[in-house]
Amino acid sequence: MIRTVVRDVPRTVAYLLSGVLIGVPLLVVLLVLSTLGLALAPALVGLPLLAVAVLSGIPVGALERRRLALTHIPPPPDPHATPAEPGLAAWARLRLTERATWRELAYTGLLGFVLWPLDALVLFGALGLPGAMIGAPVQLATTSSASGDARIAKLWLIDSYGQALLCTAAGVVLLLALLRPLVLYTRARAALARLLLAPSEAEAERRLAEVTRSRARLVAAFEAERRRIERDLHDGAQQRLVSLSMTLGLARLDAPPELSDRLAAAHREADQVLGELRELIHGIHPQVLADYGLPDALADAADRSAVPVELDVDLPRFAESVESAAYFAVREALANIGRHSGAGRAWISGRYAGGRLRVEVRDDGTGGADPARGTGLTGLADRLAVLDGTLAVHSPAGGPTVLSLEIPCPQR
Amino acid sequence: MPPALKIVLAEDSVLLREGLVGVLTRFGHEVVAAVGDAESLTAAVRSYAPDLVVTDVRMPPGLTDEGLRAALELRAANASLPVLVLSQYVQRAYAAELLDTGDGTGVGYLLKDRIGQVEQFAETVERVAAGGTVVDPEVVRQLLRRRRDPLAALTPREREVLALVAEGKSNGAIARELVVTEAAVGKHIGNILGKLDLPPAEDTHRRVLAVLAYLRG
């Protein structure tokens, strides 16, 4: 216990000392800002100054949260929300309505007017005073007063080395005795800071909701980008290639025989590229999903599957993100069945009941599929998680493999 | 030389629209209106009463399946209006929905890739205008990969024949393509219709029903 106390001392001192170093200029700034602000408030110029004074708690709070690390407390997360729109005005508006801002302001005032003087006093009492006592012989030796005496810490007058040594001994005892209270004080001080600077439970919950929302936004952005690429390819490259193929076709009609063969070769080439591009665009985002929804898109995926698929799907329309997540999960499952399972048949079933979309893909393969091995299924699980959905893979060795997904969602 | 057709064309890409007008004109047809969105398509059909409508699936304003929707509405209003839909995608759903209109005759679903094979494209245009039913070979090929009932009962040769029927080919054309006699093709088609439970009746209509059975899976 003594050892832990001694080990904590350097950090404790660093914490209190840095607090004093921050507190002194802070006091000056606060006094200037509030005095000027109040004085100029009638002329309206003072109002921004007062706003700055109120918001001054924010940087102080950020600094103090980091400084808490000195006391072994991990820096608490930022309690502030991210502004929904850019710009200083939006930021300031949001901050002024947050409780965290006002708690930080309270802490800042406390630090500027109360805490740092208290820290200084504690530091002086616990270290400065014993230090001065321990240094009594040195002070006596270096004091060149005619009387040959010295006043220790402006308290006691000593005039002999005997007294000085006694003073040193008393100083050592006092120092050791005060170390634990010093550490305890610092802990209490840090706890107070944490109380005011860390996010409250409601704020932490709100942050979590914010993170969830931003993740959903990210997925939506990803989805939109997919669509944009699909559209660009469709409206650009694909149309030009069709047009090229048409021109080549017409040219072949009228070309002399010696040119006709070469034109035919170019034409074949163009058509092949067109076919490949068509498949590529389909892979990025199938139009049938947007136009007809899941049942037809799943039927289409089944048509393309290497393994024959039986389909039993009866589903309404859902939000685009839901349909797309479910579709891509099934397509990945079918691709895996074609590649690894050794299955001869597969079954897709889809139902909507109790506000939950359930899709299951089953095969008669050898099983032993491990979703942790490939990144494909993990990515899909993540994508479903954004929608609060789940992906489960049940694949015992010897089979069969069943992949099932569930998404809670309203019907469109 | 087949008779010149009055055609209304809808395609939002100017490049393709001009190209298509060029190809159709080259084969002696008259494009009476070439429009860029679904609404103008409906209006053009109303004012020109064409022999054939050729339309893209994806069209403004929504850039989803407006072209197909417009075609379906036109067919609903006038079941004998021949419609050829051009699509950038191999999609059974589009073709099946189209074939469900009217009695399934005088409709075609073709991949845009086929326009480049200008002679075949011209043939398809004429076949659809004459009341034929054409489904793109790529859609047919994709469906052939799956083995489904009631098609599971068909022999490989019968599947091949059914695929060519879906492409709108006549018995004579199928016989030439498979290098067999026309009588053999007739026998195969008889077997297919039997296995798909389509009793003998009016001839072309049953062929369309076979194609439909095929598309619906």
Side-chain angles (χ1 to χ4, degrees):
Chain A
M1 154 123 142
I2 287 182
R3 201 191 279 166
T4 56
V5 165
V6 171
R7 202 192 54 208
D8 282 346
V9 166
R11 287 166 159 273
T12 299
V13 173
Y15 183 69
L16 294 180
L17 205 59
S18 58
V20 174
L21 291 177
I22 292 166
V24 175
L26 182 65
L27 177 64
V28 176
V29 170
L30 281 179
L31 282 175
V32 170
L33 274 179
S34 49
T35 318
L36 271 180
L38 285 175
L40 297 174
L44 291 181
V45 209
L47 293 179
L49 285 178
L50 283 178
V52 170
V54 169
L55 295 175
S56 67
I58 293 167
V60 173
L63 181 64
E64 287 294 291
R65 273 191 294 276
R66 289 171 162 273
R67 226 161 54 77
L68 277 175
L70 286 172
T71 64
H72 286 306
I73 293 178
D78 190 337
H80 294 291
T82 313
E85 17 178 331
L88 188 65
W91 177 85
R93 257 200 317 280
L94 174 68
R95 288 293 174 263
L96 287 174
T97 57
E98 284 181 315
R99 296 175 70 124
T101 306
W102 299 92
R103 287 206 315 271
E104 280 175 336
L105 179 66
Y107 176 83
T108 304
L110 212 57
L111 176 65
F113 294 101
V114 180
L115 289 178
W116 80 260
L118 204 60
D119 290 352
L121 200 67
V122 169
L123 267 181
F124 175 76
L127 298 178
L129 187 63
M133 286 166 72
I134 292 168
V138 181
Q139 198 184 345
L140 188 65
T142 52
T143 312
S144 54
S145 99
S147 56
D149 56 12
R151 190 171 283 273
I152 303 306
K154 300 204 160 74
L155 290 172
W156 307 286
L157 200 64
I158 54 167
D159 56 8
S160 75
Y161 279 97
Q163 278 175 329
L165 286 175
L166 205 64
C167 197
T168 299
V172 169
V173 171
L174 189 65
L175 179 70
L176 289 177
L178 286 180
L179 279 184
R180 190 168 151 69
L182 174 70
V183 170
L184 287 180
Y185 164 79
T186 310
R187 278 189 199 154
R189 160 85 170 76
L192 174 68
R194 195 170 205 290
L195 189 71
L196 288 171
L197 297 176
S200 66
E201 210 164 284
E203 276 160 346
E205 258 169 43
R206 179 188 45 69
R207 277 185 71 81
L208 193 65
E210 206 173 277
V211 169
T212 311
R213 267 201 308 279
S214 86
R215 196 170 63 156
R217 274 202 302 275
L218 213 60
V219 169
F222 167 74
E223 199 64 32
E225 188 68 0
R226 232 182 209 298
R227 298 296 297 273
R228 191 188 62 75
I229 293 170
E230 187 257 349
R231 225 176 17 249
D232 284 357
L233 284 175
H234 177 101
D235 294 342
Q238 208 176 11
Q239 311 280 0
R240 276 171 188 284
L241 268 172
V242 171
S243 172
L244 169 68
S245 166
M246 228 185 312
T247 309
L248 284 171
L250 280 178
R252 280 175 68 189
L253 284 184
D254 308 319
E258 65 271 20
L259 209 67
S260 174
D261 283 353
R262 276 150 73 191
L263 276 175
H267 201 179
R268 267 198 304 281
E269 198 88 0
D271 281 352
Q272 210 171 334
V273 175
L274 202 51
E276 279 168 21
L277 185 65
R278 174 158 40 79
E279 287 306 303
L280 173 73
I281 292 176
H282 182 86
I284 293 172
H285 194 277
Q287 184 67 23
V288 69
L289 184 60
D291 290 347
Y292 289 87
L294 268 176
D296 281 299
L298 293 181
D300 174 66
D303 284 350
R304 290 160 189 270
S305 162
V307 175
V309 179
E310 240 167 75
L311 207 62
D312 172 25
V313 176
D314 179 18
L315 294 170
R317 297 296 307 256
F318 304 105
E320 203 176 286
S321 54
V322 172
E323 289 186 340
S324 148
Y327 169 80
F328 281 105
V330 170
R331 220 179 59 180
E332 178 75 17
L334 289 179
N336 286 344
I337 289 172
R339 252 174 296 176
H340 313 298
S341 73
R345 283 192 93 71
W347 293 265
I348 301 174
S349 68
R351 287 288 179 275
Y352 182 65
R356 300 181 84 81
L357 162 66
R358 285 192 186 82
V359 180
E360 193 181 276
V361 184
R362 197 157 48 85
D363 67 39
D364 60 357
T366 52
D370 181 6
R373 260 206 327 258
T375 50
L377 284 178
T378 318
L380 292 170
D382 287 347
R383 202 153 151 198
L384 290 170
V386 170
L387 303 163
D388 273 335
T390 52
L391 181 75
V393 180
H394 183 72
S395 183
T401 299
V402 179
L403 175 141
S404 47
L405 66 91
E406 225 181 277
I407 308 173
C409 55
Q411 183 175 334
R412 182 155 88 189
Chain B
M1 192 73 186
L5 300 166
K6 271 201 308 175
I7 297 173
V8 165
L9 170 69
E11 159 64 59
D12 61 314
S13 153
V14 179
L15 198 66
L16 281 194
R17 196 160 66 221
E18 294 308 312
L20 276 165
V21 171
V23 170
L24 291 168
T25 312
R26 172 72 175 68
F27 285 90
H29 303 301
E30 189 195 353
V31 179
V32 289
V35 299
D37 63 87
E39 217 169 281
S40 324
L41 167 64
T42 313
V45 169
R46 222 173 276 140
S47 49
Y48 290 99
D51 302 320
L52 173 72
V53 171
V54 178
T55 177
D56 188 7
V57 171
R58 181 140 101 173
M59 296 260 272
L63 288 179
T64 59
D65 54 357
E66 278 90 342
L68 180 71
R69 297 276 144 243
L72 294 176
E73 271 167 36
L74 289 171
R75 291 273 296 177
N78 175 10
S80 62
L81 175 70
V83 171
L84 173 60
V85 169
L86 302 176
S87 173
Q88 216 94 298
Y89 333 94
V90 190
Q91 223 64 261
R92 176 156 54 111
Y94 298 106
E97 200 169 359
L98 203 58
L99 258 65
D100 268 339
T101 61
D103 57 1
T105 58
V107 287
Y109 175 82
L110 208 59
L111 268 184
K112 278 191 179 172
D113 302 22
R114 306 291 165 221
I115 310 170
Q117 307 295 334
V118 288
E119 283 166 301
Q120 287 167 32
F121 176 65
E123 253 181 69
T124 305
V125 164
E126 283 146 22
R127 211 180 286 152
V128 172
T133 308
V134 179
V135 178
D136 194 278
E138 186 67 32
V139 179
V140 169
R141 198 159 30 243
Q142 201 171 85
L143 289 171
L144 270 182
R145 286 217 306 263
R146 301 205 307 150
R147 278 152 285 281
R148 289 164 294 114
D149 298 311
L151 298 177
L154 302 186
T155 66
R157 191 50 140 189
E158 286 162 1
R159 275 164 212 274
E160 248 175 304
V161 172
L162 180 56
L164 291 167
V165 169
E167 287 170 30
K169 300 236 161 84
S170 68
N171 285 13
I174 294 172
R176 274 195 299 285
E177 182 138 351
L178 297 179
V179 203
V180 294
T181 63
E182 236 184 284
V185 172
K187 214 180 99 210
H188 283 310
I189 290 183
N191 288 343
I192 295 168
L193 297 177
K195 285 182 182 175
L196 295 183
D197 203 17
L198 299 167
E202 289 301 308
D203 179 46
T204 49
H205 191 60
R206 280 205 306 153
R207 290 171 76 110
V208 173
L209 288 178
V211 174
L212 271 177
Y214 185 63
L215 282 172
R216 291 215 187 85

